[in-house]
Amino acid sequence: MIDVTTILTDYGYISLFVTSFLASTILPLGSEGLVALMVIDKFNIYSVVIVASVANFLGACTSYYIGFTGRGLVINKYMRISDEQIQRVERGFEKYGGISLLFTWLPGIGDAIAVAGGLLRYNFAQFTVFVFIGKAFRYMLVAYVASQY
């Protein structure tokens, strides 16, 4: 039988980084459960939040780059972001501007927001600020809730 605690102890932060990165790119993964498990298992809460936030942010940067280069096949086939989702996000950008990037953490549409940022050639420096704030806020919230148990 596999002991999850041993795996976390040996590979915890690496697993968290990989899972958080992939959760923000092409795979339909969630990293919140691993964040909660690590906090409950008494990993350093600040380290968990930082690792998850940075990795998830870097995944969003990858999505931005894919949008920036206009790789439609990757967007439609592998990321499974429809043209309709992109159009909806573009309308959100027109209406709310960069503030919409705070919501890249949302399931289902978050990847589309990051891709649309690239497609629209949104200023990368501003992209990084809004996206990192949104990602960090989500992981702080998850870690806080998990720490209550």
Side-chain angles (χ1 to χ4, degrees):
M1 188 163 141
I2 297 174
D3 182 18
V4 175
T5 304
T6 302
I7 292 172
L8 282 179
T9 302
D10 293 346
Y11 305 104
Y13 291 111
I14 294 169
S15 297
L16 178 62
F17 186 91
V18 171
T19 302
S20 298
F21 178 85
L22 292 175
S24 188
T25 56
I26 61 173
L27 297 177
L29 293 174
S31 54
E32 297 81 7
L34 184 54
V35 168
L37 185 60
M38 290 177 75
V39 169
I40 291 168
D41 206 32
K42 303 300 182 208
F43 277 75
N44 182 289
I45 193 168
Y46 301 108
S47 297
V48 169
V49 169
I50 289 168
V51 168
S53 298
V54 168
N56 207 250
F57 163 74
L58 291 173
C61 291
T62 303
S63 297
Y64 175 94
Y65 176 75
I66 290 168
F68 190 85
T69 60
R71 297 186 180 179
L73 175 67
V74 173
I75 295 168
N76 295 122
K77 185 176 180 181
Y78 296 107
M79 296 182 80
R80 298 185 183 188
I81 298 172
S82 68
D83 292 334
E84 179 183 297
Q85 284 177 306
I86 295 291
Q87 290 170 355
R88 186 173 28 163
V89 169
E90 286 175 345
R91 286 191 300 273
F93 264 97
E94 290 171 7
K95 188 173 182 179
Y96 301 109
I99 297 294
S100 58
L101 291 167
L102 292 171
F103 300 98
T104 55
W105 60 270
L106 288 172
I109 197 162
D111 293 339
I113 294 171
V115 168
L119 285 170
L120 297 170
R121 306 289 199 266
Y122 191 78
N123 179 289
F124 188 69
Q126 292 177 357
F127 173 89
T128 61
V129 170
F130 285 124
V131 170
F132 190 80
I133 289 170
K135 303 282 187 181
F137 176 76
R138 173 189 58 200
Y139 287 116
M140 284 188 278
L141 184 61
V142 169
Y144 173 74
V145 170
S147 72
Q148 301 306 302
Y149 292 97

